[in-house]
Amino acid sequence: MAETASQHLALPLGLLELCALLGPPRDSLRGLEQVAQRRGTQSLPCLDPEVLSVFAPPFISREDGPPPSAGCGTLSKAKRRSFRKKREKAKVEPNKGLLEGPRGPEAEDISVPNGVDLLALPQLCFPGGLSVASEPKEDCIHFLVLTDVCGNRTHGVVAQYYRPLHDEYCFYNGKPHWESPWPTTSAAGCFVPFAVCVVSRFPYYNALRDCLSCLLVHLKLCKDFEVDNHIKNFAAKLSLIPSPPPGPLHLVFNMKPLQVVFPSRADPESPVVDLDLHLPLLCFRPEKVLQVLTCLLTEQRVVFFSASWALLTLVAECFLVYLHPLRWQHTFVPVLSGQMLDFVMAPTSFLMGCHLSHFEEVSKEADGLVLVNIDAGSVTSSSDEDVDVPDIPLLAAQTFVQRVQSLQLHRELDLAHLGASTDLNEGRARRRAWQQRLNGQIQRLTLQLLVSVFREVKNHLNYEHRVFNSEEFLKTRAPGDQRFYKQVLDTYMFHSFLKARLSRRMDAFTQLDLSTQSEEDRISETLVSPRRPTIGKMASRKPSPQRVAHRRMVVSMPNLQDIAVPELPPRNASLREDTTGGRSRGSSSVLDVSPRPPHTFKIPEVHFPLVSQCVQAYYSDFVALLSKAMSGLAPDNSVLLARHLYLRGLVRLMQGQLLDALLDFQSLCKTDLRIFPADLVRRTVQSMAGPMRAQAESRPELRRLISEVLEQPGEAPKADDHVKHFELPSKHMGPDEFMRRVQESGIVRDVNIISRLFEALTVGQQKLIDPETFKDFYTCWKETEAEAQEASLPASVLAHLDKSECVYKLSRSVKTSHGVGKIAMTQKRLFLLTEGKPGYMDIATFRDLEEVRSTTVAVLFLRVPTLKIKMASKKEVFEANLKSECDLWHLMVKEMWAGKTLADDHKDPQYVQQALTHVLLMDAVVGALQSPGAIYAASKLAHFDKMKSEMPTAVPKATAETLRHKINPSAGETVPQAVDVLLYTPGHLDPAEKFGDAHPKLWCALHQGKVVVFDASSWTIHQHCVRVGTSKLNCMAMVEQSQVWVGSQDSVIYIINIHSMSCNKQLTDHRASVTGLVVQDGPEAPSQVYSCSADGTVLVWNVGTLRVTSRVQLPGGNLSAISLHGGCLWCCTGNSIMVVSGCLRQELKIDGGFQERSTSFVAFQLIPEQAQLWAVCSGYDDIYVWGLEDLAQPPGRVHLPDCSEVHCMIRVKRQIWVGGTGLSQGRPRGKIYVIDAKRQTVEKELVAHVDTVRTLCSAEGRYVLSGSGGEEGKIAIWTVE
C-alpha cells in the first residue's frame, strides 16, 4: 500500500522560490486619481513601488490534503504560504471606493525564502522608477541576480505590464471596481505599471521569460479581482516543476500557448546555461571581449552600462559563463536602480550594472572603475589615469580572436535554406537547436582560451604538499605577459582554481587539457625527468624579441633579488579607446563540437495546481510517464535511465512514497553516482519515523544505502583544502624537512633520490643542511633549467638528432681531438658542437661506450685534466681537455652509461630517466658547494655506476629473450606503489569514440582505489588516475567493450566508463570484500557478470539493468576466485574448490597429503581440452593437477624450482604462467614460471622484478603482463611463444 501524502507537497529541488506582484501602493493610486482629475496626465508624479503580493511554495498544506502517514516527515525547512501586503479582509461598504477600505488592516504572517530582500525588490523590479504613462506601453522583461549575506545567488525574471487606471478590468489592489465613486472619464489616458517577479535558485532566464510571457496574456484579459488568483495559480504550476538533473535530458512544460523548455546543465560541475551566449559577441569586438574577461580575471571593479535593463544581466551572465570553470566570487549586482548608485563606491571587487543615463555621473564620481558600455561596445576607465588592466597573453588572444571571427553569429544566414515554419513551437525548436549548437561552440572556444592561458600551471604544482611555485611559474612567462599573470595569481578566483587543480578535479578544464595534450607531452609524463625542451620543440621555435629580453630574466630567484622586467612595446594595454581597429593576422576556426541533440521529457499538465487531489493526480501521471519512458529505453542507455530514476525518485518523495523513492535513488547509485542527491536522501531517511525506517532497513538493497548516506559527513571542508606557495627555507633542515622542501620545489619527488641528495650535500659535516646551502643548490638547479629552456641549436645540428631528444648538459668551449667546441649530452648520446663554422660531430651513443677515463695530458709544462672516451664501434679514442669540468663530466658520463646499460638489460627506460636526474643533481651539487670535496659529494649520486661496479648481475638468458618492455605506473609518485590487479582491454573501432579511444589499453589498480590507464599501443599513460573508492582493489573485468568493472575490498563493485574514463556507477549488493569477477562467455556481447565476495556470496548481474538475477551462498566463506566451465560455477573457497551446478554441489577438499602444514588454495585454472584442474596452495612450491573426470583421485604435481611463494596463475594458449617469489642468484626476487600445460614441465624461469609478482594478465595471447609489489611497483611485458 502506497504511503499517503507528506505534509509538504513542494518539490525539495523545485524550480520556484517565490513569485511576487509589485506595483504602486493604494494611497498613491487614490492621490493619483485626484491629481489626474485636476491637472491631467502630463504632470503626474513618479510613484514609489511596493510588494503587493507574494506567493511562495508550498501551495498545498497539510490541512488541504489527506492526512499524512506516521512515517512521513517534513523535507522542507520552512512552511510558506501566499500573502498580500497589508491586505485587508474584504468588506465593501456602500458609497465607498475600494481605496477607502477598512481602517484596521490585518497582515498575514509569512516567512520569505532566504536571499530575497523584499525591501529592495521593488527598486529592482522598477529600476528606472514607477511612472504612470499617458498611453499604453509595450510589456518589457528584465532579469535580476539576488545575493544573500552568505553569497548564495538566486535569479529573478521581471515582467512589467501596464493597465489603465479606469477600466472594467482595472486593478485596484485586488478589489472589485463595480462601485467606483468617481467619474470614469476624468482619468482617461492613465496607464499604471505593474510587475510580476519570479525568483528561482536556477538561472532559467529564457524559460522563465517564456512563462511570464504566457502569464501576461492571461493577466491582460482577466478581471481585477482575478489577478491574484491567476498569479497564484501560475506560481503553483512553476513550483511543481523540478529542476532537471545534470545531463542530456531537458524538461518541457506546456504553459499555453508555448512549450517551455527547461535545459539541464551539462554535468554537475557546469552552470545552467539558458541564455544566448553570443550576445557579447554581437555587442563587442573580440578584442574588447578579451579586455572584459581580463578585467574579470584580475578582479577589477567593473560596471556595465546599457539603455536596456535586460541586457545588463544577460551580458554579464554570459561573461561569467565564459570564465567557467573559474568562478566570480565577489559582489555581483547586474542591475542597480537609480537609488542604489552609491554601491559603485565600494572599495572591493564587484561586478555591477547601471542604466546608460547614469554613465557620466558614475564616471565622474567614482575612481578606479572599469566602465563597459554595452550599447557602444566600448571599455573605458572612470578616471583620468588608466586602471591597471593588463593584456591577456598574446598567443592565446590572437587564437581567440581568429576563432571568434570564424563563428556564424547570425541565425538568418545559418537557416536561410530552410522554409518558413508554420507552427509556433516548431519555429522555436529550430531557434533553440541553433542556439544550443552556437552556445556549445562558444563555451568550447572560451574554455580553449583558459586552457591556453593556464595550461602550464600544472607543471609548477606539488600535489603531495599542495604547493604552487608561483615564482618559477612567472619566470616561464613571456615578459609581455608578466603583468597579466602577476595580477591574476593574487586573485580569489585563481586561488580556487589552484585548489581544484591540486585536488585533481576532473572538470571541463582538465578534460580539455588532457584531450588536447600532444603525444610528446604525454610521453614525457610517462617518463618522469627534468623538464627540457625537445629537439622537435627547438626546431619549431620562432625567434621573437621577447625571447631575447627574457633570457636574462628567467634566472631570477624567489626571495633573492628583483630583476626588472624589460620594457616592451605595449599591446593596447590601456582601457582607452583603441583607434587602430586592426584585425589579427592568420586564421583559425573554432572546433565544431556539434553536440548531440538533447533528449526531452514532457511534464504532464496540471489544471488545478491549488487542489490537493489534482496535484496528487499530477504526481501519479508524472510517475507513470517516467516509468513508461524508462521501459522504452535501450538496455545500454544508462545515461537517460539515470535521469529518469532521479526524477521519479523526486516525484515519489512528494507523493509520500518514501520507500519507492529510496529504491529509485538506490538504483540511481548503480547507474550514475554523479547526480545522486546524497543530502536529499539523507534528509529523507532522517525524516522517516521508526516503523517506516525499520521497514526500509529490513530490505537488503536499502540497508546499505541508508548506512552510507548517514555516515557521510556532508559538505564539511577538507582538512587539506589549502594552497601553499613555495618559499626557500630559513632554518636548518634534517632529512625529513629537506625531503619535503625538495618535493615542494618541484626538483625531484622520489624519496630514494632525495635521500642520496641529502647525503651528497652533507658530506663531511653534521647531517643538517643550512638555508644558504639549499639556496645555492636551488639557484644552480633553476639557472641550469632556465638556460636549457632558452638553448637553441643550429638547424644543421638539429637534423642529426631525434625529435624526442633533449640537451641536458653543455660544457664550456674546450679543445678536443676533433677541434674546439662544446660537448653536449642528451639522453641518448654525446656530441660535439664545433666552433667557428657551427657544426655537428657525433662522439658516441651511451649504448656504444666501452671505456670512460679521467686522466691528464701534458700541455707545455702543465698537466691538463682530460676525459677519454672509447667506443666499441670505433678504434679511435675521443679526448677532451675539460680542465676543471673533467671530473664532473667523468661522473656524469659513467652514470649515464650505467643507466643506459641497465635500461637495455631490463628493457626499462626509467633507468635512463633516473640517471639523467642523478646527473643534473650532480651538476647542481658541484655548483652549490664550490669546494674541493664537491666531486666526492656528487659521487654520492652516482647510484647506477655503483650498482654496475659493485653488483654486476647479468640478466638470465631466458628473461632477456622473453622480456619486451617495462613501464612504471607509479611514475611521478614519491614512492613506488604495489600493482594489485592488471587488466588488458583490446582496441576496437566504435563510431561513438574518439580515435585514441580505439587503442588497446592496460588498466593498473594501485593503492587506495587508484587506477592508472596506459595506451597499450605505445605504453604511454592514457589516464593518470581514475579514482574508485579508497580501498584496495582485488579484481577487474571488461564488460561489453564499454565498461570496466572493479571489485574492491570495501565490498563495492565500481563501474568505469571506458569512453569518459569516469566512475559514476556502483553496485553495493555485496556485504564483504569483492574477490572475483567473471564475464559470461558467448558469441554475443555478454549479458551477465558473476561476482563473488569473501563471505561466500556469488551474485549474478544483468548487465543492462545492473540488477541481481540470482544469488548463491556457499558455506564457510573465504571465497577468493570463481570460474565458469561447462555450465558449472567453480569456486575457490580457502580449503576447498566447489563446483556448483543448479542445486548440485561437488567439493574438492585439501586432503591429508597437505596436512603437514596448514594451507589453503590460492588460485586455480581449468584446462577443458585436457580435462584438468590446476591449483596452487599457499606455502607450497608445487602446482597440483586434478583430472576433471574424477576429482577424488590424487593430483599430479609440477614442482616450481626455488619457489617460496605463489600469488597468481593464468593460462595463456597451452602454457600456464605462475607468478610469485623465488630465489635468483641467492636473493629473493619476483619470479614467473612458464609451464607447458601438456607436458607439465617448467619451460622458463623469468626474473625481472625486485619485489614479488602480485598479478598477471594476458594481452590477446601474444603478451603477458606482470605487476610487482610495492618495493618496485613496475609492470613487465613478456612475449608469449
Side-chain angles (χ1 to χ4, degrees):
M1 178 178 179
E3 297 82 354
T4 54
S6 63
Q7 293 182 19
H8 285 244
L9 298 180
L11 283 169
L13 297 177
L15 194 70
L16 181 72
E17 286 290 290
L18 67 82
C19 183
L21 175 66
L22 302 98
R26 181 187 67 248
D27 295 340
S28 64
L29 281 181
R30 180 169 48 198
L32 184 67
E33 290 284 351
Q34 299 168 357
V35 172
Q37 293 178 19
R38 294 195 307 265
R39 305 180 186 175
T41 59
Q42 299 299 322
S43 59
L44 292 178
C46 292
L47 305 178
D48 293 326
E50 70 174 22
V51 178
L52 301 177
S53 301
V54 173
F55 307 95
F59 294 95
I60 304 296
S61 64
R62 179 170 50 188
E63 58 269 20
D64 297 326
S69 68
C72 293
T74 301
L75 298 181
S76 302
K77 294 182 179 179
K79 298 180 181 179
R80 302 176 190 145
R81 301 294 305 278
S82 62
F83 84 110
R84 295 177 180 178
K85 181 77 172 178
K86 295 183 179 180
R87 185 66 47 84
E88 298 88 355
K89 294 186 177 179
K91 181 180 286 187
V92 181
E93 298 181 13
N95 301 320
K96 286 190 178 181
L98 291 179
L99 300 182
E100 303 176 24
R103 296 185 179 88
E106 298 180 12
E108 297 183 25
D109 184 23
I110 185 171
S111 63
V112 178
N114 292 332
V116 181
D117 182 3
L118 291 183
L119 296 178
L121 194 60
Q123 293 185 41
L124 295 174
C125 291
F126 294 95
L130 192 157
S131 300
V132 177
S134 59
E135 57 185 20
K137 289 189 176 182
E138 190 175 7
D139 304 336
C140 60
I141 288 179
H142 69 275
F143 310 92
L144 306 174
V145 177
L146 310 172
T147 308
D148 63 14
V149 293
C150 298
N152 301 312
R153 294 175 188 164
T154 51
H155 307 268
V157 181
V158 182
Q160 289 185 16
Y161 67 102
Y162 286 77
R163 291 178 66 92
L165 186 61
H166 276 302
D167 186 54
E168 179 184 356
Y169 303 110
C170 182
F171 179 81
Y172 288 114
N173 210 16
K175 299 180 181 179
H177 175 58
W178 54 79
E179 296 183 12
S180 177
W182 46 79
T184 58
T185 58
S186 60
C190 288
F191 293 87
V192 182
F194 295 91
V196 180
C197 176
V198 176
V199 179
S200 173
R201 278 177 293 175
F202 308 98
Y204 285 116
Y205 295 122
N206 286 339
L208 293 178
R209 178 194 60 192
D210 293 344
C211 291
L212 283 172
S213 300
C214 296
L215 173 66
L216 293 185
V217 173
H218 298 288
L219 290 184
K220 290 179 179 179
L221 299 177
C222 72
K223 296 183 179 180
D224 55 341
F225 58 87
E226 298 174 335
V227 170
D228 270 3
N229 289 334
H230 272 284
I231 296 177
K232 185 175 182 180
N233 193 72
F234 167 79
K237 282 185 178 182
L238 285 184
S239 71
L240 297 177
I241 302 175
S243 59
L249 184 65
H250 297 183
L251 298 183
V252 180
F253 189 73
N254 186 6
M255 195 56 79
K256 294 183 180 178
L258 299 181
Q259 299 283 342
V260 180
V261 177
F262 293 90
S264 60
R265 64 185 75 200
D267 57 71
E269 300 290 335
S270 298
V272 172
V273 179
D274 188 31
L275 68 168
D276 302 342
L277 291 183
H278 68 295
L279 287 177
L281 303 180
L282 296 176
C283 300
F284 302 96
R285 292 186 296 109
E287 295 81 3
K288 294 299 178 182
V289 172
L290 286 174
Q291 277 193 347
V292 177
L293 287 175
T294 304
C295 293
L296 297 177
L297 286 171
T298 54
E299 296 184 350
Q300 303 289 332
R301 298 156 66 217
V302 183
V303 184
F304 282 89
F305 291 89
S306 175
S308 166
W309 293 108
L311 279 182
L312 288 173
T313 300
L314 294 179
V315 171
E317 285 278 21
C318 285
F319 276 108
L320 297 190
V321 173
Y322 292 172
L323 292 177
H324 177 73
L326 281 75
R327 185 173 181 271
W328 178 263
Q329 301 179 48
H330 297 279
T331 303
F332 178 40
V333 187
V335 172
L336 291 176
S337 66
Q339 297 91 333
M340 298 178 174
L341 289 183
D342 56 343
F343 283 17
V344 300
M345 305 300 290
T348 58
S349 302
F350 58 73
L351 175 56
M352 298 185 185
C354 297
H355 194 272
L356 187 61
S357 59
H358 302 299
F359 186 90
E360 293 299 329
E361 180 183 356
V362 172
S363 178
K364 292 178 181 178
E365 296 296 329
D367 293 333
L369 301 183
V370 177
L371 309 180
V372 182
N373 189 331
I374 297 174
D375 299 350
S378 64
V379 183
T380 58
S381 59
S382 64
S383 56
D384 294 335
E385 297 181 3
D386 286 351
V387 178
D388 185 19
V389 178
D391 286 306
I392 213 158
L394 178 60
L395 181 60
Q398 290 176 339
T399 306
F400 176 82
V401 170
Q402 293 160 5
R403 286 171 172 164
V404 168
Q405 291 168 349
S406 71
L407 289 173
Q408 177 55 270
L409 301 178
H410 300 283
R411 175 172 170 264
E412 292 76 10
L413 297 176
D414 204 34
L415 304 180
H417 64 287
L418 298 178
S421 175
T422 57
D423 181 84
L424 171 63
N425 287 309
E426 178 189 350
R428 283 165 48 83
R430 284 184 184 177
R431 171 69 168 80
R432 194 163 46 247
W434 175 83
Q435 189 64 57
Q436 180 195 357
R437 184 170 62 254
L438 180 59
N439 281 359
Q441 293 175 338
I442 294 173
Q443 285 180 281
R444 175 85 177 189
L445 182 151
T446 53
L447 186 59
Q448 287 171 330
L449 171 70
L450 294 176
V451 170
S452 176
V453 171
F454 297 116
R455 164 172 266 156
E456 294 185 26
V457 165
K458 65 178 182 292
N459 296 334
H460 302 270
L461 296 176
N462 177 269
Y463 295 94
E464 289 77 20
H465 303 288
R466 299 185 67 83
V467 173
F468 173 55
N469 197 332
S470 55
E471 294 289 340
E472 291 302 321
F473 172 73
L474 284 174
K475 291 173 195 172
T476 62
R477 304 300 90 198
D481 301 334
Q482 291 274 322
R483 284 180 59 241
F484 171 83
Y485 284 106
K486 284 181 179 178
Q487 292 191 35
V488 170
L489 263 56
D490 289 333
T491 62
Y492 288 101
M493 188 184 302
F494 184 77
H495 188 73
S496 297
F497 173 78
L498 282 181
K499 286 184 178 181
R501 298 318 105 205
L502 289 168
S503 300
R504 298 184 185 273
R505 183 177 300 169
M506 188 57 64
D507 56 13
F509 181 95
T510 305
Q511 291 173 6
L512 183 62
D513 184 18
L514 290 174
S515 65
T516 56
Q517 195 175 35
S518 67
E519 187 66 20
E520 180 181 316
D521 291 336
R522 197 181 297 275
I523 293 174
S524 67
E525 289 184 1
T526 306
L527 303 174
V528 177
S529 60
R531 292 188 295 271
R532 297 293 187 272
T534 63
I535 298 302
K537 285 187 176 180
M538 282 189 186
S540 63
R541 276 181 184 167
K542 296 179 180 179
S544 67
Q546 292 185 2
R547 296 195 66 85
V548 177
H550 185 46
R551 188 177 180 88
R552 291 286 300 170
M553 188 199 66
V554 294
V555 300
S556 63
M557 293 293 305
N559 306 345
L560 297 182
Q561 55 183 336
D562 294 325
I563 297 179
V565 179
E567 292 294 332
L568 295 171
R571 296 188 282 109
N572 187 29
S574 172
L575 289 179
R576 299 299 175 195
E577 291 292 336
D578 177 21
T579 58
T580 59
R583 295 173 65 92
S584 300
R585 296 180 181 179
S587 63
S588 177
S589 62
V590 64
L591 181 62
D592 185 8
V593 287
S594 298
R596 296 179 181 179
H599 301 270
T600 58
F601 177 81
K602 190 170 183 180
I603 300 173
E605 294 187 33
V606 54
H607 300 287
F608 301 100
L610 298 174
V611 179
S612 175
Q613 290 79 3
C614 291
V615 172
Q616 284 297 317
Y618 161 80
Y619 287 143
S620 299
D621 293 344
F622 208 145
V623 170
L625 288 174
L626 286 167
S627 301
K628 181 180 179 181
M630 291 164 62
S631 65
L633 294 175
D636 59 344
N637 197 346
S638 60
V639 174
L640 280 184
L641 176 63
R643 274 72 199 166
H644 287 83
L645 284 170
Y646 176 99
L647 290 171
R648 194 171 71 177
L650 284 185
V651 179
R652 280 178 166 170
L653 276 184
M654 305 326 302
Q655 286 183 296
Q657 299 177 355
L658 302 191
L659 290 182
D660 289 337
L662 289 180
L663 286 171
D664 279 336
F665 290 133
Q666 194 265 346
S667 299
L668 178 60
C669 249
K670 298 179 180 180
T671 314
D672 195 338
L673 195 62
R674 293 182 305 167
I675 63 173
F676 176 71
D679 184 62
L680 175 62
V681 175
R682 184 184 305 110
R683 288 190 286 116
T684 301
V685 173
Q686 291 170 345
S687 71
M688 297 171 73
M692 182 174 290
R693 175 80 168 267
Q695 184 182 354
E697 291 180 343
S698 67
R699 307 182 73 156
E701 61 269 31
L702 293 182
R703 190 183 308 122
R704 176 71 172 263
L705 177 71
I706 292 173
S707 64
E708 286 186 346
V709 296
L710 293 181
E711 290 172 3
Q712 291 177 355
E715 299 298 326
K718 297 180 181 178
D720 61 348
D721 188 18
H722 64 279
V723 180
K724 294 190 298 184
H725 289 270
F726 176 73
E727 294 180 355
L728 291 172
S730 57
K731 299 179 181 179
H732 285 66
M733 293 161 285
D736 294 340
E737 177 66 12
F738 176 75
M739 184 170 296
R740 182 179 70 84
R741 291 286 188 170
V742 172
Q743 288 175 343
E744 289 181 358
S745 71
I747 293 176
V748 64
R749 301 169 69 181
D750 187 283
V751 295
N752 295 320
I753 296 178
I754 297 175
S755 297
R756 291 192 279 271
L757 176 61
F758 183 81
E759 291 296 321
L761 291 174
T762 56
V763 165
Q765 57 180 311
Q766 59 178 344
K767 297 304 179 182
L768 288 174
I769 294 180
D770 61 89
E772 285 300 316
T773 301
F774 187 94
K775 182 179 69 174
D776 293 341
F777 165 76
Y778 183 87
T779 303
C780 291
W781 177 274
K782 289 301 180 180
E783 285 182 345
T784 304
E785 187 178 76
E787 289 170 3
Q789 291 292 337
E790 295 302 312
S792 60
L793 298 175
S796 58
V797 174
L798 297 177
H800 291 85
L801 302 173
D802 296 339
K803 289 185 177 181
S804 60
E805 284 186 84
C806 306
V807 176
Y808 287 91
K809 179 65 177 173
L810 197 64
S811 75
R812 291 197 288 263
S813 184
V814 296
K815 181 181 180 181
T816 72
S817 53
H818 291 273
V820 177
K822 296 180 179 180
I823 300 174
M825 181 178 72
T826 73
Q827 67 267 46
K828 293 184 178 181
R829 74 188 82 215
L830 297 169
F831 64 90
L832 183 67
L833 286 169
T834 58
E835 292 193 349
K837 182 180 180 182
Y840 170 91
M841 198 214 79
D842 192 39
I843 298 174
T845 61
F846 293 115
R847 181 181 284 128
D848 192 42
L849 291 180
E850 187 175 283
E851 183 183 15
V852 178
R853 289 189 299 126
S854 175
T855 182
T856 58
V857 175
V859 178
L860 298 178
F861 302 103
L862 301 175
R863 305 293 298 182
V864 179
T866 302
L867 184 69
K868 293 188 176 182
I869 300 174
K870 184 178 181 183
M871 288 71 72
S873 60
K874 301 178 183 177
K875 292 184 179 180
E876 59 179 325
V877 176
F878 176 81
E879 295 186 13
N881 298 339
L882 285 163
K883 301 178 182 177
S884 60
E885 291 185 283
C886 186
D887 291 335
L888 176 60
W889 273 88
H890 179 241
L891 276 178
M892 293 192 300
V893 174
K894 290 187 68 176
E895 180 68 4
M896 287 299 299
W897 180 19
K900 184 61 178 176
T901 302
L902 289 170
D904 289 346
D905 290 346
H906 296 274
K907 312 293 177 63
D908 186 357
Q910 283 289 324
Y911 282 109
V912 173
Q913 306 305 315
Q914 290 185 31
L916 281 169
T917 302
H918 293 158
V919 162
L920 295 176
L921 289 175
M922 292 177 193
D923 187 29
V925 166
V926 171
L929 296 182
Q930 294 288 335
S931 64
I935 296 298
Y936 175 72
S939 67
K940 297 291 183 181
L941 292 159
H943 179 63
F944 294 145
D945 188 42
K946 291 176 184 176
M947 285 177 56
K948 181 179 175 183
S949 59
E950 295 174 3
M951 296 180 293
T953 55
V955 177
K957 182 180 179 182
T959 300
E961 293 174 347
T962 311
L963 181 62
R964 181 180 179 87
H965 192 58
K966 287 184 81 173
I967 54 178
N968 183 14
S970 300
E973 300 288 343
T974 57
V975 293
Q977 307 295 334
V979 182
D980 294 321
V981 192
L982 290 173
L983 173 68
Y984 174 87
T985 56
H988 60 279
L989 290 174
D990 185 334
E993 291 185 86
K994 295 178 291 186
F995 177 73
D997 290 338
H999 293 168
K1001 296 179 179 63
L1002 176 65
W1003 304 72
C1004 315
L1006 305 182
H1007 72 308
Q1008 296 181 345
K1010 180 180 179 180
V1011 177
V1012 176
V1013 186
F1014 283 86
D1015 184 333
S1017 63
S1018 60
W1019 301 120
T1020 58
I1021 289 182
H1022 179 80
Q1023 185 77 24
H1024 272 284
C1025 177
V1026 180
R1027 183 64 66 178
V1028 285
T1030 58
S1031 301
K1032 180 179 180 292
L1033 306 179
N1034 297 325
C1035 50
M1036 292 194 288
M1038 182 182 183
V1039 180
E1040 291 191 339
Q1041 295 188 335
S1042 62
Q1043 299 174 352
V1044 169
W1045 289 30
V1046 186
S1048 173
Q1049 206 164 38
D1050 62 8
S1051 76
V1052 178
I1053 297 174
Y1054 297 92
I1055 301 179
I1056 301 174
N1057 184 299
I1058 290 180
H1059 307 320
S1060 65
M1061 288 293 163
S1062 58
C1063 177
N1064 302 318
K1065 302 179 183 179
Q1066 295 182 6
L1067 307 180
T1068 58
D1069 293 57
H1070 280 288
R1071 296 296 174 264
S1073 175
V1074 180
T1075 54
L1077 291 166
V1078 175
V1079 181
Q1080 185 182 46
D1081 294 324
E1084 300 179 355
S1087 59
Q1088 287 186 324
V1089 176
Y1090 290 73
S1091 62
C1092 66
S1093 54
D1095 60 356
T1097 303
V1098 179
L1099 301 180
V1100 185
W1101 300 89
N1102 181 294
V1103 174
T1105 63
L1106 299 179
R1107 295 185 180 276
V1108 176
T1109 58
S1110 61
R1111 179 187 302 262
V1112 178
Q1113 183 64 51
L1114 303 179
N1118 296 323
L1119 181 55
S1120 60
I1122 56 175
S1123 180
L1124 290 172
H1125 169 60
C1128 299
L1129 182 66
W1130 295 68
C1131 308
C1132 181
T1133 60
N1135 60 357
S1136 68
I1137 294 178
M1138 192 173 294
V1139 187
V1140 180
S1141 177
C1143 298
L1144 299 177
R1145 297 184 182 180
Q1146 183 180 3
E1147 191 170 10
L1148 170 64
K1149 287 195 172 184
I1150 295 178
D1151 57 20
F1154 293 88
Q1155 295 306 314
E1156 59 266 22
R1157 62 178 182 266
S1158 177
T1159 187
S1160 61
F1161 287 112
V1162 174
F1164 73 97
Q1165 283 290 325
L1166 293 166
I1167 307 180
E1169 56 269 23
Q1170 296 177 203
Q1172 290 177 343
L1173 167 66
W1174 291 50
V1176 293
C1177 301
S1178 63
Y1180 285 82
D1181 56 1
D1182 293 320
I1183 296 181
Y1184 298 89
V1185 184
W1186 282 269
L1188 295 181
E1189 295 85 357
D1190 187 2
L1191 295 176
Q1193 292 295 322
R1197 297 192 179 196
V1198 179
H1199 181 65
L1200 304 177
D1202 298 324
C1203 180
S1204 57
E1205 188 178 15
V1206 173
H1207 284 286
C1208 49
M1209 177 171 62
I1210 64 169
R1211 179 193 172 200
V1212 186
K1213 296 182 179 177
R1214 296 183 180 180
Q1215 296 175 337
I1216 298 292
W1217 289 57
V1218 181
T1221 306
L1223 293 177
S1224 176
Q1225 299 179 356
R1227 292 180 297 164
R1229 300 287 298 273
K1231 291 188 75 171
I1232 298 173
Y1233 298 87
V1234 183
I1235 304 169
D1236 187 299
K1238 187 174 183 179
R1239 292 184 293 174
Q1240 298 185 11
T1241 58
V1242 177
E1243 292 185 330
K1244 295 180 181 179
E1245 296 180 44
L1246 307 177
V1247 185
H1249 293 292
V1250 174
D1251 204 349
T1252 185
V1253 177
R1254 299 176 63 94
T1255 181
L1256 294 166
C1257 80
S1258 172
E1260 302 178 359
R1262 296 187 299 159
Y1263 304 104
V1264 168
L1265 302 106
S1266 60
S1268 67
E1271 186 179 344
E1272 181 193 64
K1274 293 184 179 181
I1275 298 169
I1277 302 153
W1278 309 87
T1279 303
V1280 177
E1281 294 180 354

